[in-house]
């Protein structure tokens, strides 16, 4: 670790003028690049007392071994040189946005004799017109497929184009009217280029004029009784409007703007950009970065602007750039953007109206992107290990909880009460171990009582498996109730054998009451080697049994992230089961009450008679005529249908008339794999 005073420039050596500076380490590698209005004032700020520096800045200056600078004429030149050096040297202490994927764009190769429409990724090429970027390549292909009906521009590769020209026969698109077939001379190069330019104009947002022209041609054709031509123009207009619908109208028709939003925490930041052209969202992209330097939101915006427009010129830089915070040197950035566009560019914060509302949408996307990035980060082994160690330290566990089980209760106003159990091993979800429970011991809404029941049932199965293997004997229990519980479950068929693996930590979704219920369930079974905690949603507090105050983990803690993921997964799994169970209950019919009647035979009965109503009217002999239905089964079906309570008549709410029940009854619910009944 170097002492900054060892390479501090002499007083008066640094000029008081705009410039760009580089910090290098002992191996002469560039580790940081910055720009300044006054090099003297900016560099002096790095060589003050280290205790007064931001921790990231202190790390940088102690890693560096030398500093050098370059004087420029204007602040715009400094901005351009800073961007060039960051790209060239890739300094480790500079904020660098990284794409989590390569974004495709819709490209028109106007630099070719016969322009081609295609999907392109990677760096932009000279003479190619780009639209986007898009989130998915299939979105581009869907748009192009609709547009080719009206603008039959070439989409084939050079090899296909050359071969078609040699054999004198166009490809399939030429025959179905989605290509003007310039390869065989159906149109001249000038006519084909005009089609490509019309395609570009329409994609650039100049849609109103073109649609109006097509509508006039359609009406004129209809008046002249050229109905086939009018119908074709009508279909062309419909295709163009469907293509336009894929890009929502968000701002006024003439608006060309990029909206940039930032979501950040202490360690990372996510940037989302919406590209609006002609009032429609034409593309979207996002970046994520580690905050390796001391930078605020305005600084993140400045870095984003450099990366976004550093290689762009002309119309690729919009008239308006909307940001959440203005950079420190906004006039310089405005001038730089204007030079790249060739005309004035407005850089500002939206204050009201549609633009502010759209900015809020972009910000929500940035928040989601940051959350998704943090979830993906959980797949990293080092991060997972750190998360487990933080949990062990916060909960005062003897070792890292390699297996975590989380329980959650779900119901709808006290009906269809269910519970879920999800399992995370080594910080990763193990979905084959998930289990679902139906609450059996009572009816109604009582989350605490439900939690006690579910934890008790799960660990009774654990004791059962230990009893089978001899690892646990009734003599180990503290009272007669434990012995009875063990013997009761030992007589079961042992179907969910994966309950044999005990967790090191049980997490419950809730606060003190739920934690106390889970702990009580374990104590009643004599289990004292499994830790319990609860994660409350309101403030993300961690509750421990018998504690009056929660454990508060730092918001940036990897351990808290892991507990949140476990809790959220349990909640999702419980909600999914509760909804499925409720849906099947609502769709159940009288045939579901017939014991021993499976799904196939229920469908065969309904198919044979046409409806449950007609099945009720059938005799036992008539039911026996259904393939697979014996006399005993037929008698059971007839008896069950005779005892079934008739449902109230269905009423058409529009007319008030009663609808006769002639429709087949829906299939009944069946138990799901992995459900603890």
């Amino acid at each position: 670790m170097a002492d900054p005073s060892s390479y501090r420039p002499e007083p008066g050596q640094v000029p008081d003028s705009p410039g760009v500076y580089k910090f290098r380490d002992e191996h002469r590698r560039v580790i940081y690049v910055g720009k300044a209005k006054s090099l003297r004032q900016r560099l002096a700020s790095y060589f003050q007392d280290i205790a007064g520096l931001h921790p990231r800045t202190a790390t940088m200056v102690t890693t560096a071994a030398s500093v050098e600078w370059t004087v420029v004429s204007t602040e715009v030149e400094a901005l351009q040189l800073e961007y060039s050096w960051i790209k060239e040297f890739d300094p480790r202490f500079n904020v660098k946005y990284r794409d989590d994927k390569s974004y495709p764009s819709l490209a028109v190769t106007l630099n070719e004799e016969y322009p081609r429409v295609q999907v392109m990724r990677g760096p932009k090429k000279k003479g190619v017109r780009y639209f986007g970027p898009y989130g998915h390549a299939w979105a581009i292909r869907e748009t192009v497929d609709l547009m080719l009906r009206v603008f039959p521009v070439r989409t084939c590769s050079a090899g296909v184009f050359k071969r078609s020209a040699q054999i004198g026969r166009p490809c399939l698109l030429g025959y179905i009217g989605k290509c003007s077939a310039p390869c065989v001379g159906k149109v001249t190069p000038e006519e084909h280029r005009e089609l490509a330019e019309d395609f570009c104009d329409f994609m650039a947002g100049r849609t109103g004029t073109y649609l109006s022209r097509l509508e006039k041609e359609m009406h004129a054709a209809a008046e002249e009784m050229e109905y086939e031509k009018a119908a074709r123009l009508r279909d062309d207009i419909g295709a163009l409007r469907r293509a336009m619908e894929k890009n929502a109208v968000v701002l006024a028709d003439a608006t060309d703007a990029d909206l940039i939003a930032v979501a950040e925490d202490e360690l990372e930041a996510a940037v989302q950009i919406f590209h609006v052209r002609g009032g429609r969202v034409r593309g979207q992209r996002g970046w994520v970065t580690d905050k390796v330097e001391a930078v605020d939101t305005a600084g993140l915006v400045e870095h984003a602007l450099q990366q976004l427009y550093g290689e762009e010129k002309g119309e690729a830089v919009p008239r308006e750039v909307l940001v959440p915070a203005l950079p420190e040197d906004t006039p310089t950035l405005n001038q730089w953007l204007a030079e790249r566009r060739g005309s004035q560019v407005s850089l500002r914060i939206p204050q009201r109206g549609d633009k502010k509302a759209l900015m809020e949408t972009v910000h929500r996307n940035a928040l989601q992107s940051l959350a998704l990035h943090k979830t993906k980060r959980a797949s990293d082994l080092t991060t997972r290990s750190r998360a487990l160690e933080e949990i062990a330290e916060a909960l005062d566990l003897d070792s890292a909880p390699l297996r975590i089980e989380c329980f959650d209760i779900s119901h709808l106003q006290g009906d269809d009460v269910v519970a879920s159990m999800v399992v995370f091993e080594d910080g990763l979800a193990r979905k084959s171990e998930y289990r679902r429970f139906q609450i059996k011991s009572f009816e109604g809404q009582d989350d605490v009582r439900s939690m006690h029941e579910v934890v008790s049932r799960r660990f009774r199965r654990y004791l059962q498996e230990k009893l089978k293997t001899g690892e646990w004997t009734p003599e180990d229990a503290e009272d007669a109730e434990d012995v009875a519980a063990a013997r009761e479950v030992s007589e079961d068929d042992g179907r969910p054998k994966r309950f044999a693996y005990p967790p090191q930590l049980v997490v419950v979704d809730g606060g003190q009451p739920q934690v106390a219920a889970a702990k009580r369930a374990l104590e009643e079974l004599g289990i004292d080697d499994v830790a319990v905690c609860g994660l409350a949603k309101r403030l993300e507090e961690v509750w421990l049994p018998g504690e009056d105050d929660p454990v508060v983990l730092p918001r940036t803690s990897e351990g808290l992230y892991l507990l949140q993921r476990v809790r959220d997964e349990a909640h999702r799994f419980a909600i999914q089961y509760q909804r499925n169970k409720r849906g099947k209950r609502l769709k159940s019919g009288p045939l579901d009450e017939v014991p021993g009647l499976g799904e196939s035979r229920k469908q065969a009965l309904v198919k044979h008679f046409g409806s449950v109503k007609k099945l009720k009217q059938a005799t036992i002999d008539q039911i026996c005529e259904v393939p697979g239905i014996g006399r005993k089964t037929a008698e059971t079906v007839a008896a069950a249908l005779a005892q079934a309570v008739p449902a109230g008549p269905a009423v058409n709410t529009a007319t008030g008339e009663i609808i006769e029940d002639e429709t087949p009854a829906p299939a009944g619910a069946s138990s799901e794999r992995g459900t603890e009944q």
Side-chain angles (χ1 to χ4, degrees):
M1 181 178 291
D3 183 358
S5 62
S6 64
Y7 62 89
R8 178 173 184 170
E10 296 294 330
Q13 187 178 359
V14 183
D16 187 17
S17 57
V20 184
Y21 54 91
K22 298 191 292 264
F23 281 88
R24 295 181 182 269
D25 64 10
E26 57 183 347
H27 304 291
R28 299 294 298 163
R29 291 175 298 197
V30 176
I31 62 172
Y32 184 74
V33 173
K35 70 177 188 314
K37 291 181 181 179
S38 169
L39 286 170
R40 180 179 300 172
Q41 294 179 14
R42 177 61 59 84
L43 289 179
S45 68
Y46 289 103
F47 296 100
Q48 56 179 293
D49 184 7
I50 292 181
L53 295 176
H54 189 282
R56 296 188 185 94
T57 305
T59 303
M60 188 274 291
V61 297
T62 53
T63 303
S66 63
V67 61
E68 55 193 55
W69 55 88
T70 299
V71 176
V72 295
S73 303
T74 65
E75 296 166 25
V76 175
E77 286 185 25
L79 183 67
Q80 293 171 336
L81 183 58
E82 179 194 33
Y83 172 73
S84 300
W85 278 0
I86 289 175
K87 284 200 65 178
E88 178 182 354
F89 297 112
D90 192 24
R92 57 177 290 199
F93 285 100
N94 276 95
V95 166
K96 296 181 293 294
Y97 294 107
R98 55 184 185 274
D99 270 320
D100 58 353
K101 58 184 175 182
S102 173
Y103 289 89
S105 295
L106 171 57
V108 183
T109 57
L110 296 175
N111 56 348
E112 297 181 1
E113 182 182 7
Y114 296 99
R116 175 190 176 192
V117 175
Q118 61 181 324
V119 177
M120 273 194 180
R121 298 178 186 265
K124 295 186 176 180
K125 299 178 182 179
K126 187 176 180 180
V128 179
R129 187 81 179 273
Y130 292 90
F131 302 95
Y134 288 76
H136 303 280
W138 55 260
I140 301 178
R141 296 189 179 98
E142 283 186 357
T143 301
V144 170
D145 187 61
L146 291 169
M147 298 279 287
L148 289 180
R149 178 184 177 88
V150 186
F151 307 104
V153 186
R154 167 198 164 207
T155 57
C156 60
S157 65
V160 173
F161 186 88
K162 183 178 179 181
R163 175 168 174 76
S164 295
Q166 289 173 343
I167 64 177
R169 189 170 66 247
C171 63
L172 176 62
L173 293 179
Y175 283 110
I176 65 176
K178 289 193 173 181
C179 179
S180 55
C183 54
V184 294
K186 285 190 175 182
V187 294
T188 64
E190 292 75 18
E191 291 171 336
H192 186 267
R193 179 168 293 276
E194 186 178 349
L195 280 173
E197 289 174 350
D198 287 344
F199 180 95
C200 292
D201 287 344
F202 192 89
M203 289 300 299
R206 292 183 279 276
T207 58
T209 303
Y210 199 83
L211 286 173
S212 299
R213 191 179 79 190
L214 287 181
E215 287 176 350
K216 289 179 181 178
E217 291 179 7
M218 179 184 68
H219 293 309
E223 289 175 359
E224 295 174 6
M225 292 187 290
E226 296 180 4
Y227 298 120
E228 290 186 3
K229 179 181 178 181
R232 180 174 55 80
L233 290 170
R234 177 202 61 198
D235 294 341
D236 290 349
I237 293 170
L240 291 180
R241 283 182 172 156
R242 287 195 298 275
M244 291 168 61
E245 287 169 1
K246 291 182 177 294
N247 302 110
V249 177
V250 291
L251 299 173
D253 286 345
T255 302
D256 289 348
D258 283 350
L259 290 89
I260 302 174
V262 179
E264 58 182 309
D265 58 19
E266 289 296 323
L267 300 177
E268 294 175 310
V271 173
Q272 280 287 311
I273 301 102
F274 276 25
H275 303 280
V276 178
R277 299 294 183 270
R280 297 174 179 270
V281 177
R282 298 290 183 180
Q284 174 187 0
R285 65 191 303 185
W287 301 312
V288 179
T289 182
D290 293 322
K291 294 171 69 172
V292 291
E293 61 174 298
V295 62
D296 57 7
T297 302
L300 291 170
V301 168
E302 181 177 335
H303 289 301
L305 292 172
Q306 286 181 306
Q307 179 153 333
L308 189 59
Y309 303 116
E311 303 293 330
E312 304 291 355
K313 287 187 177 180
E315 292 185 358
V317 181
R319 297 188 186 94
E320 197 171 6
V321 180
L322 305 177
V323 295
L326 290 175
E328 179 182 352
D329 196 1
T330 301
T332 300
L333 276 168
N334 266 326
Q335 184 180 348
W336 177 70
L337 291 171
E339 288 180 0
R340 305 210 67 81
R341 176 177 169 81
S343 61
Q344 188 64 33
V345 176
S346 172
L347 178 64
R348 64 187 185 85
I349 302 173
Q351 300 294 333
R352 64 183 67 86
D354 293 340
K355 292 178 180 178
K356 184 177 181 182
L358 182 58
M359 177 64 82
E360 292 172 355
T361 300
V362 183
H363 184 250
R364 285 195 297 271
N365 277 264
L367 290 171
Q368 185 180 20
S369 176
L370 184 62
L372 180 61
H373 170 73
K374 291 182 178 298
T375 302
K376 289 180 178 178
R377 191 176 63 183
S379 61
D380 178 69
L381 179 61
T382 304
T383 305
R384 297 201 313 268
S385 300
R386 184 164 68 250
L388 294 173
E389 290 172 1
E390 288 180 2
I391 292 173
E393 182 179 353
L395 305 185
D396 196 21
L397 305 180
D398 295 333
S399 59
L402 300 182
R403 180 181 172 106
I404 301 174
E405 293 180 1
C406 184
F407 296 85
D408 185 29
I409 309 297
S410 180
H411 56 82
L412 180 65
Q413 296 179 348
D415 295 330
D416 299 314
V417 184
V418 298
S420 68
M421 182 189 92
V422 301
V423 179
F424 275 59
E425 290 188 351
D426 295 330
L428 293 177
R430 190 174 177 85
K431 295 194 175 183
S432 62
E433 303 278 316
Y434 286 13
R435 285 295 178 269
R436 293 163 169 170
F437 299 82
Q438 299 180 43
I439 303 303
K440 299 179 177 180
S441 62
F442 67 97
E443 294 183 358
Q445 176 182 349
D446 190 336
D447 288 357
V448 175
R449 190 174 173 186
S450 300
M451 186 65 70
H452 179 273
E453 176 186 333
V454 171
V455 175
S456 298
R457 287 164 57 187
R458 182 266 178 269
F459 283 95
R460 283 199 187 101
R461 292 296 181 105
Y462 166 54
L463 294 181
Q464 171 195 2
E465 298 301 331
K466 290 187 69 176
L467 185 63
K468 287 181 179 179
T469 59
E471 298 177 48
W472 183 87
T473 61
E475 288 73 19
D476 295 329
E478 295 182 359
D479 53 39
E481 290 185 4
D482 291 340
V483 177
R487 285 176 175 163
E488 177 186 351
V489 297
S490 67
E491 295 171 1
D492 215 350
D493 61 0
R495 180 172 56 88
K497 294 181 180 179
R498 293 192 179 95
F499 281 134
Y501 300 103
Q504 285 79 47
L505 176 64
V506 167
V507 181
V508 299
D509 182 12
Q512 279 180 311
Q514 287 84 356
V515 173
K519 184 64 175 178
R520 187 171 69 254
L522 293 176
E523 290 175 346
E524 289 171 356
L525 294 173
I527 298 173
D528 57 4
D529 56 350
V530 176
V532 180
C533 75
L535 186 61
K537 288 189 182 73
R538 189 171 66 89
L539 296 175
E540 303 293 14
E541 301 165 330
V542 180
W543 291 91
L544 297 177
E547 298 292 335
D548 294 331
D549 298 315
V551 176
V552 180
L553 294 175
R555 292 290 176 179
T556 56
S557 164
E558 293 291 346
L560 179 60
Y561 295 152
L562 178 55
L563 289 176
Q564 288 171 333
R565 286 193 296 274
V566 172
R567 188 269 317 279
D568 293 344
E569 177 70 354
H571 185 66
R572 179 199 66 80
F573 197 54
I575 286 287
Q576 181 187 55
Y577 180 40
Q578 192 269 336
R579 287 174 178 168
N580 291 342
K581 189 171 182 290
R582 183 174 74 250
K584 289 181 177 180
R585 176 174 58 81
L586 294 175
K587 292 189 296 183
S588 63
L591 287 178
D592 297 318
E593 306 300 325
V594 180
L597 190 65
E599 193 67 31
S600 298
R601 292 199 290 177
K602 279 192 290 185
Q603 292 179 1
L605 285 167
V606 173
K607 182 178 180 181
H608 182 83
F609 290 99
S611 70
V612 175
K613 180 180 179 180
K614 291 181 179 179
L615 176 58
K616 288 181 180 180
Q617 299 169 354
T619 64
I620 293 176
D621 291 335
Q622 290 173 330
I623 297 175
C624 288
E625 295 175 2
V626 180
I629 303 295
R631 188 164 191 85
K632 185 176 180 180
T633 302
E635 292 173 352
T636 305
V637 170
L641 293 177
Q643 296 174 1
V645 178
V651 179
N652 187 324
T653 56
T655 63
E657 62 180 331
I658 296 177
I659 303 172
E660 293 293 333
D661 179 18
E662 294 294 338
T663 57
S670 59
S671 61
E672 297 188 24
R673 175 181 173 87
T675 301
E676 166 64 14
Q677 302 292 339

